[in-house]
Short mmCIF file of all heavy atoms in Angstrom, two decimals:
data_model
loop_
_atom_site.label_atom_id
_atom_site.label_comp_id
_atom_site.label_asym_id
_atom_site.label_seq_id
_atom_site.Cartn_x
_atom_site.Cartn_y
_atom_site.Cartn_z
N LYS A 1 -2.83 17.47 -5.04
CA LYS A 1 -2.82 16.11 -5.59
C LYS A 1 -2.17 15.15 -4.62
O LYS A 1 -2.66 14.02 -4.40
CB LYS A 1 -2.08 16.10 -6.92
CG LYS A 1 -2.17 14.77 -7.65
CD LYS A 1 -1.52 14.87 -9.02
CE LYS A 1 -1.65 13.54 -9.77
NZ LYS A 1 -1.03 13.63 -11.13
N LEU A 2 -1.05 15.58 -3.98
CA LEU A 2 -0.39 14.73 -2.99
C LEU A 2 -1.29 14.46 -1.79
O LEU A 2 -1.36 13.34 -1.28
CB LEU A 2 0.92 15.40 -2.54
CG LEU A 2 1.72 14.67 -1.45
CD1 LEU A 2 2.15 13.30 -1.96
CD2 LEU A 2 2.93 15.51 -1.03
N LEU A 3 -1.98 15.53 -1.34
CA LEU A 3 -2.89 15.38 -0.20
C LEU A 3 -4.03 14.42 -0.55
O LEU A 3 -4.41 13.57 0.27
CB LEU A 3 -3.45 16.74 0.20
CG LEU A 3 -4.49 16.74 1.34
CD1 LEU A 3 -3.87 16.18 2.62
CD2 LEU A 3 -5.02 18.15 1.57
N ARG A 4 -4.55 14.55 -1.76
CA ARG A 4 -5.66 13.68 -2.21
C ARG A 4 -5.23 12.22 -2.20
O ARG A 4 -5.93 11.35 -1.66
CB ARG A 4 -6.11 14.11 -3.59
CG ARG A 4 -7.18 13.22 -4.22
CD ARG A 4 -7.67 13.83 -5.52
NE ARG A 4 -8.58 12.94 -6.21
CZ ARG A 4 -8.21 12.05 -7.13
NH1 ARG A 4 -6.93 11.96 -7.48
NH2 ARG A 4 -9.10 11.28 -7.72
N TRP A 5 -4.08 11.93 -2.80
CA TRP A 5 -3.63 10.54 -2.85
C TRP A 5 -3.22 10.02 -1.47
O TRP A 5 -3.33 8.82 -1.19
CB TRP A 5 -2.46 10.41 -3.84
CG TRP A 5 -2.93 10.43 -5.25
CD1 TRP A 5 -2.78 11.43 -6.17
CD2 TRP A 5 -3.65 9.39 -5.93
NE1 TRP A 5 -3.37 11.10 -7.37
CE2 TRP A 5 -3.91 9.84 -7.25
CE3 TRP A 5 -4.10 8.13 -5.56
CZ2 TRP A 5 -4.59 9.07 -8.18
CZ3 TRP A 5 -4.78 7.37 -6.49
CH2 TRP A 5 -5.02 7.83 -7.78
N SER A 6 -2.77 10.91 -0.60
CA SER A 6 -2.45 10.50 0.77
C SER A 6 -3.70 10.06 1.52
O SER A 6 -3.70 9.05 2.23
CB SER A 6 -1.75 11.64 1.52
OG SER A 6 -0.53 11.98 0.90
N LEU A 7 -4.78 10.85 1.35
CA LEU A 7 -6.05 10.49 1.99
C LEU A 7 -6.59 9.17 1.45
O LEU A 7 -7.09 8.33 2.20
CB LEU A 7 -7.07 11.61 1.79
CG LEU A 7 -6.79 12.93 2.51
CD1 LEU A 7 -7.80 13.98 2.12
CD2 LEU A 7 -6.78 12.72 4.02
N ILE A 8 -6.47 8.97 0.14
CA ILE A 8 -6.91 7.71 -0.46
C ILE A 8 -6.09 6.55 0.09
O ILE A 8 -6.63 5.49 0.42
CB ILE A 8 -6.81 7.78 -2.00
CG1 ILE A 8 -7.82 8.79 -2.55
CG2 ILE A 8 -7.06 6.40 -2.62
CD1 ILE A 8 -7.69 9.03 -4.04
N GLY A 9 -4.78 6.75 0.20
CA GLY A 9 -3.92 5.69 0.73
C GLY A 9 -4.24 5.34 2.16
O GLY A 9 -4.29 4.16 2.53
N VAL A 10 -4.49 6.36 3.00
CA VAL A 10 -4.85 6.11 4.40
C VAL A 10 -6.17 5.35 4.49
O VAL A 10 -6.32 4.41 5.29
CB VAL A 10 -4.91 7.44 5.18
CG1 VAL A 10 -5.50 7.21 6.57
CG2 VAL A 10 -3.53 8.04 5.31
N SER A 11 -7.15 5.74 3.66
CA SER A 11 -8.45 5.06 3.68
C SER A 11 -8.31 3.61 3.26
O SER A 11 -8.90 2.71 3.89
CB SER A 11 -9.42 5.79 2.74
OG SER A 11 -9.61 7.12 3.13
N LEU A 12 -7.53 3.35 2.21
CA LEU A 12 -7.33 1.97 1.77
C LEU A 12 -6.61 1.15 2.82
O LEU A 12 -6.94 -0.02 3.05
CB LEU A 12 -6.53 1.96 0.46
CG LEU A 12 -7.26 2.46 -0.79
CD1 LEU A 12 -6.32 2.50 -1.97
CD2 LEU A 12 -8.46 1.56 -1.10
N LEU A 13 -5.63 1.76 3.48
CA LEU A 13 -4.91 1.05 4.54
C LEU A 13 -5.84 0.71 5.70
O LEU A 13 -5.77 -0.39 6.27
CB LEU A 13 -3.74 1.91 5.04
CG LEU A 13 -2.81 1.28 6.08
CD1 LEU A 13 -2.11 0.07 5.47
CD2 LEU A 13 -1.78 2.30 6.57
N TYR A 14 -6.72 1.65 6.03
CA TYR A 14 -7.71 1.41 7.10
C TYR A 14 -8.60 0.23 6.75
O TYR A 14 -8.84 -0.66 7.57
CB TYR A 14 -8.54 2.67 7.31
CG TYR A 14 -9.79 2.46 8.13
CD1 TYR A 14 -9.74 2.39 9.51
CD2 TYR A 14 -11.04 2.34 7.51
CE1 TYR A 14 -10.88 2.19 10.26
CE2 TYR A 14 -12.18 2.14 8.25
CZ TYR A 14 -12.09 2.07 9.62
OH TYR A 14 -13.22 1.87 10.35
N VAL A 15 -9.08 0.21 5.50
CA VAL A 15 -9.96 -0.88 5.06
C VAL A 15 -9.21 -2.21 5.10
O VAL A 15 -9.74 -3.24 5.56
CB VAL A 15 -10.51 -0.61 3.66
CG1 VAL A 15 -11.24 -1.82 3.11
CG2 VAL A 15 -11.44 0.60 3.68
N LEU A 16 -7.98 -2.22 4.63
CA LEU A 16 -7.20 -3.46 4.58
C LEU A 16 -6.92 -4.01 5.97
O LEU A 16 -7.04 -5.21 6.22
CB LEU A 16 -5.89 -3.22 3.83
CG LEU A 16 -6.00 -3.00 2.32
CD1 LEU A 16 -4.65 -2.62 1.75
CD2 LEU A 16 -6.52 -4.27 1.65
N ILE A 17 -6.57 -3.13 6.91
CA ILE A 17 -6.17 -3.58 8.24
C ILE A 17 -7.36 -3.97 9.09
O ILE A 17 -7.39 -5.04 9.71
CB ILE A 17 -5.34 -2.48 8.95
CG1 ILE A 17 -4.00 -2.28 8.23
CG2 ILE A 17 -5.10 -2.86 10.41
CD1 ILE A 17 -3.16 -1.17 8.81
N LEU A 18 -8.38 -3.13 9.12
CA LEU A 18 -9.50 -3.33 10.04
C LEU A 18 -10.63 -4.17 9.48
O LEU A 18 -11.42 -4.72 10.24
CB LEU A 18 -10.05 -1.98 10.51
CG LEU A 18 -9.09 -1.12 11.35
CD1 LEU A 18 -9.80 0.13 11.81
CD2 LEU A 18 -8.55 -1.90 12.55
N LEU A 19 -10.75 -4.27 8.16
CA LEU A 19 -11.87 -4.98 7.57
C LEU A 19 -11.44 -6.23 6.82
O LEU A 19 -11.86 -7.34 7.14
CB LEU A 19 -12.65 -4.04 6.65
CG LEU A 19 -13.29 -2.81 7.32
CD1 LEU A 19 -14.00 -1.95 6.30
CD2 LEU A 19 -14.24 -3.23 8.41
N LEU A 20 -10.59 -6.06 5.82
CA LEU A 20 -10.24 -7.20 4.97
C LEU A 20 -9.33 -8.20 5.66
O LEU A 20 -9.47 -9.41 5.45
CB LEU A 20 -9.58 -6.69 3.68
CG LEU A 20 -10.48 -5.86 2.76
CD1 LEU A 20 -9.74 -5.50 1.48
CD2 LEU A 20 -11.76 -6.62 2.42
N ALA A 21 -8.40 -7.74 6.48
CA ALA A 21 -7.49 -8.67 7.16
C ALA A 21 -8.22 -9.62 8.10
O ALA A 21 -8.02 -10.84 8.05
CB ALA A 21 -6.40 -7.88 7.90
N PRO A 22 -9.13 -9.13 8.98
CA PRO A 22 -9.89 -10.07 9.82
C PRO A 22 -10.76 -11.02 9.00
O PRO A 22 -10.88 -12.20 9.34
CB PRO A 22 -10.74 -9.15 10.70
CG PRO A 22 -10.02 -7.86 10.72
CD PRO A 22 -9.40 -7.74 9.38
N PHE A 23 -11.36 -10.50 7.93
CA PHE A 23 -12.19 -11.35 7.08
C PHE A 23 -11.35 -12.45 6.43
O PHE A 23 -11.78 -13.61 6.34
CB PHE A 23 -12.89 -10.51 6.02
CG PHE A 23 -13.88 -11.27 5.20
CD1 PHE A 23 -15.13 -11.58 5.70
CD2 PHE A 23 -13.57 -11.69 3.91
CE1 PHE A 23 -16.07 -12.28 4.96
CE2 PHE A 23 -14.49 -12.40 3.15
CZ PHE A 23 -15.74 -12.70 3.68
N ALA A 24 -10.17 -12.09 5.98
CA ALA A 24 -9.27 -13.09 5.39
C ALA A 24 -8.87 -14.13 6.42
O ALA A 24 -8.76 -15.33 6.11
CB ALA A 24 -8.04 -12.41 4.81
N GLY A 25 -8.67 -13.70 7.68
CA GLY A 25 -8.34 -14.65 8.73
C GLY A 25 -9.47 -15.64 8.99
O GLY A 25 -9.23 -16.84 9.20
N ILE A 26 -10.70 -15.14 8.97
CA ILE A 26 -11.86 -16.02 9.15
C ILE A 26 -11.93 -17.04 8.02
O ILE A 26 -12.17 -18.23 8.25
CB ILE A 26 -13.16 -15.18 9.23
CG1 ILE A 26 -13.17 -14.34 10.50
CG2 ILE A 26 -14.38 -16.09 9.17
CD1 ILE A 26 -14.37 -13.42 10.60
N VAL A 27 -11.72 -16.58 6.80
CA VAL A 27 -11.76 -17.49 5.64
C VAL A 27 -10.70 -18.57 5.78
O VAL A 27 -10.97 -19.76 5.55
CB VAL A 27 -11.57 -16.70 4.33
CG1 VAL A 27 -11.43 -17.64 3.15
CG2 VAL A 27 -12.73 -15.74 4.11
N TRP A 28 -9.50 -18.20 6.17
CA TRP A 28 -8.40 -19.17 6.26
C TRP A 28 -8.68 -20.23 7.33
O TRP A 28 -8.51 -21.43 7.10
CB TRP A 28 -7.09 -18.45 6.56
CG TRP A 28 -5.93 -19.39 6.64
CD1 TRP A 28 -5.26 -19.96 5.60
CD2 TRP A 28 -5.33 -19.90 7.84
NE1 TRP A 28 -4.26 -20.78 6.06
CE2 TRP A 28 -4.28 -20.77 7.44
CE3 TRP A 28 -5.55 -19.69 9.20
CZ2 TRP A 28 -3.47 -21.43 8.35
CZ3 TRP A 28 -4.74 -20.34 10.11
CH2 TRP A 28 -3.72 -21.20 9.69
N ILE A 29 -9.11 -19.79 8.51
CA ILE A 29 -9.38 -20.75 9.58
C ILE A 29 -10.57 -21.64 9.24
O ILE A 29 -10.57 -22.85 9.52
CB ILE A 29 -9.63 -20.01 10.91
CG1 ILE A 29 -8.37 -19.26 11.34
CG2 ILE A 29 -10.07 -20.98 12.01
CD1 ILE A 29 -8.53 -18.43 12.58
N ALA A 30 -11.59 -21.06 8.61
CA ALA A 30 -12.80 -21.83 8.29
C ALA A 30 -12.54 -22.90 7.24
O ALA A 30 -13.15 -23.98 7.28
CB ALA A 30 -13.91 -20.89 7.83
N LEU A 31 -11.64 -22.62 6.30
CA LEU A 31 -11.46 -23.52 5.17
C LEU A 31 -10.20 -24.37 5.25
O LEU A 31 -9.98 -25.22 4.38
CB LEU A 31 -11.43 -22.71 3.86
CG LEU A 31 -12.65 -21.82 3.59
CD1 LEU A 31 -12.47 -21.09 2.25
CD2 LEU A 31 -13.94 -22.62 3.60
N LYS A 32 -9.40 -24.18 6.28
CA LYS A 32 -8.11 -24.86 6.31
C LYS A 32 -8.23 -26.37 6.50
O LYS A 32 -7.31 -27.11 6.14
CB LYS A 32 -7.23 -24.27 7.41
CG LYS A 32 -7.71 -24.55 8.83
CD LYS A 32 -6.74 -23.99 9.86
CE LYS A 32 -7.19 -24.29 11.28
NZ LYS A 32 -6.23 -23.78 12.29
N GLU A 33 -9.35 -26.86 7.06
CA GLU A 33 -9.50 -28.30 7.28
C GLU A 33 -10.12 -29.03 6.11
O GLU A 33 -10.36 -30.24 6.18
CB GLU A 33 -10.32 -28.55 8.55
CG GLU A 33 -9.63 -28.06 9.81
CD GLU A 33 -10.35 -28.51 11.07
OE1 GLU A 33 -11.34 -29.28 10.95
OE2 GLU A 33 -9.95 -28.09 12.17
N GLY A 34 -10.43 -28.33 5.03
CA GLY A 34 -10.86 -28.98 3.82
C GLY A 34 -12.36 -29.07 3.65
O GLY A 34 -13.16 -28.69 4.53
N PHE A 35 -12.75 -29.59 2.49
CA PHE A 35 -14.16 -29.64 2.10
C PHE A 35 -14.96 -30.58 3.00
O PHE A 35 -16.13 -30.31 3.30
CB PHE A 35 -14.27 -30.11 0.64
CG PHE A 35 -15.67 -30.13 0.13
CD1 PHE A 35 -16.33 -28.97 -0.22
CD2 PHE A 35 -16.35 -31.34 0.01
CE1 PHE A 35 -17.63 -28.98 -0.69
CE2 PHE A 35 -17.66 -31.37 -0.45
CZ PHE A 35 -18.30 -30.19 -0.81
N SER A 36 -14.36 -31.69 3.45
CA SER A 36 -15.09 -32.64 4.29
C SER A 36 -15.51 -32.00 5.61
O SER A 36 -16.62 -32.25 6.11
CB SER A 36 -14.24 -33.87 4.55
OG SER A 36 -13.03 -33.51 5.22
N ALA A 37 -14.63 -31.17 6.18
CA ALA A 37 -14.98 -30.49 7.43
C ALA A 37 -16.12 -29.51 7.22
O ALA A 37 -16.98 -29.33 8.10
CB ALA A 37 -13.75 -29.77 7.98
N ILE A 38 -16.16 -28.89 6.03
CA ILE A 38 -17.23 -27.95 5.72
C ILE A 38 -18.57 -28.67 5.67
O ILE A 38 -19.56 -28.24 6.28
CB ILE A 38 -16.94 -27.23 4.40
CG1 ILE A 38 -15.67 -26.39 4.52
CG2 ILE A 38 -18.13 -26.36 3.99
CD1 ILE A 38 -15.25 -25.73 3.23
N THR A 39 -18.62 -29.78 4.93
CA THR A 39 -19.88 -30.52 4.81
C THR A 39 -20.31 -31.10 6.15
O THR A 39 -21.51 -31.12 6.47
CB THR A 39 -19.73 -31.63 3.77
OG1 THR A 39 -18.61 -32.48 4.12
CG2 THR A 39 -19.50 -31.05 2.39
N ASP A 40 -19.34 -31.59 6.94
CA ASP A 40 -19.68 -32.15 8.26
C ASP A 40 -20.28 -31.09 9.16
O ASP A 40 -21.25 -31.35 9.89
CB ASP A 40 -18.43 -32.74 8.91
CG ASP A 40 -17.96 -34.01 8.22
OD1 ASP A 40 -18.75 -34.60 7.46
OD2 ASP A 40 -16.78 -34.39 8.42
N THR A 41 -19.73 -29.87 9.11
CA THR A 41 -20.24 -28.79 9.96
C THR A 41 -21.61 -28.33 9.53
O THR A 41 -22.53 -28.20 10.35
CB THR A 41 -19.26 -27.60 9.94
OG1 THR A 41 -17.99 -28.01 10.44
CG2 THR A 41 -19.79 -26.46 10.80
N LEU A 42 -21.78 -28.10 8.24
CA LEU A 42 -23.03 -27.55 7.75
C LEU A 42 -24.19 -28.54 7.77
O LEU A 42 -25.35 -28.13 7.61
CB LEU A 42 -22.84 -27.01 6.32
CG LEU A 42 -21.84 -25.85 6.18
CD1 LEU A 42 -21.77 -25.39 4.74
CD2 LEU A 42 -22.21 -24.69 7.11
N THR A 43 -23.90 -29.83 7.94
CA THR A 43 -24.97 -30.83 8.00
C THR A 43 -25.26 -31.29 9.42
O THR A 43 -26.14 -32.14 9.61
CB THR A 43 -24.60 -32.05 7.14
OG1 THR A 43 -23.32 -32.57 7.54
CG2 THR A 43 -24.54 -31.67 5.66
N ARG A 44 -24.56 -30.75 10.39
CA ARG A 44 -24.84 -31.11 11.79
C ARG A 44 -26.21 -30.59 12.19
O ARG A 44 -26.62 -29.49 11.78
CB ARG A 44 -23.77 -30.55 12.72
CG ARG A 44 -22.42 -31.23 12.60
CD ARG A 44 -21.38 -30.57 13.47
NE ARG A 44 -21.84 -30.39 14.86
CZ ARG A 44 -21.06 -29.94 15.83
NH1 ARG A 44 -19.81 -29.59 15.56
NH2 ARG A 44 -21.53 -29.82 17.05
N SER A 45 -26.92 -31.36 12.99
CA SER A 45 -28.29 -31.00 13.36
C SER A 45 -28.35 -29.70 14.14
O SER A 45 -29.26 -28.88 13.93
CB SER A 45 -28.93 -32.13 14.17
OG SER A 45 -28.20 -32.37 15.36
N ASP A 46 -27.38 -29.47 15.05
CA ASP A 46 -27.42 -28.23 15.82
C ASP A 46 -27.11 -27.01 14.95
O ASP A 46 -27.65 -25.93 15.18
CB ASP A 46 -26.47 -28.31 17.02
CG ASP A 46 -25.04 -28.65 16.60
OD1 ASP A 46 -24.85 -29.12 15.47
OD2 ASP A 46 -24.13 -28.47 17.43
N VAL A 47 -26.27 -27.20 13.94
CA VAL A 47 -25.95 -26.09 13.04
C VAL A 47 -27.15 -25.77 12.14
O VAL A 47 -27.51 -24.59 11.98
CB VAL A 47 -24.71 -26.42 12.18
CG1 VAL A 47 -24.47 -25.32 11.15
CG2 VAL A 47 -23.48 -26.58 13.07
#
C-alpha cells in the first residue's frame, strides 16, 4: 500500500512540475495585461 501511494505521489508530482506548472505560467503571462490586451491581440490582422 505504501509503495502504491508512493508511485501515485511521484506521478502526480511529475505532472504538476513538468506539465501543469508551465501551463499555469503561460496562462498567467497571457492574461496578466487584461481583457483589452487579449482583444487587441486576437483581432490583429497578422494574428
Side-chain angles (χ1 to χ4, degrees):
K1 187 175 182 179
L2 178 61
L3 177 61
R4 175 174 174 268
W5 283 108
S6 298
L7 292 174
I8 293 174
V10 171
S11 300
L12 289 175
L13 184 64
Y14 166 80
V15 171
L16 289 173
I17 293 176
L18 295 184
L19 298 179
L20 294 184
F23 186 77
I26 292 176
V27 172
W28 181 78
I29 296 176
L31 304 181
K32 68 177 181 178
E33 295 189 5
F35 183 76
S36 60
I38 296 176
T39 56
D40 290 343
T41 299
L42 297 181
T43 55
R44 289 176 51 174
S45 60
D46 55 344
V47 174

